[in-house]
Amino acid sequence: MEHMGMTDNQYKDFVEGIKEDLEELNEYKEAGDNERYDKKYKRLMDRLEKALKR
C-alpha cells in the first residue's frame, strides 16, 4: 500500500521523523529555548508542506 506516493517503509520513516521532531519541539518549549523551537517549527512545517504537495 502506498501513502502520498511513498512505500510503507518510507511512510513509516516519515511519520517517525515527524514524531521525533514534535518531541524535540516539546523539549525546547519546556526549556524555554524559543530560538531553537522557532527554527525546528519552521523546518517541520516546511517538511509537512512539501509532503502535502506530492
Side-chain angles (χ1 to χ4, degrees):
M1 181 177 190
E2 287 195 12
H3 308 275
M4 299 185 311
M6 294 184 238
T7 65
D8 284 343
N9 285 338
Q10 289 171 323
Y11 182 74
K12 182 179 177 184
D13 290 344
F14 174 77
V15 171
E16 286 178 1
I18 298 297
K19 180 183 175 206
E20 290 171 4
D21 287 345
L22 290 171
E23 289 169 348
E24 279 185 55
L25 278 176
N26 190 50
E27 290 173 11
Y28 297 154
K29 185 173 184 175
E30 288 178 353
D33 191 342
N34 293 332
E35 184 177 332
R36 289 176 79 184
Y37 179 91
D38 291 343
K39 184 177 179 180
K40 187 69 161 187
Y41 178 84
K42 183 179 179 345
R43 287 190 357 226
L44 177 58
M45 292 304 289
D46 289 345
R47 185 175 177 192
L48 290 171
E49 286 179 20
K50 286 179 185 177
L52 288 173
K53 291 179 182 177
R54 287 181 170 215

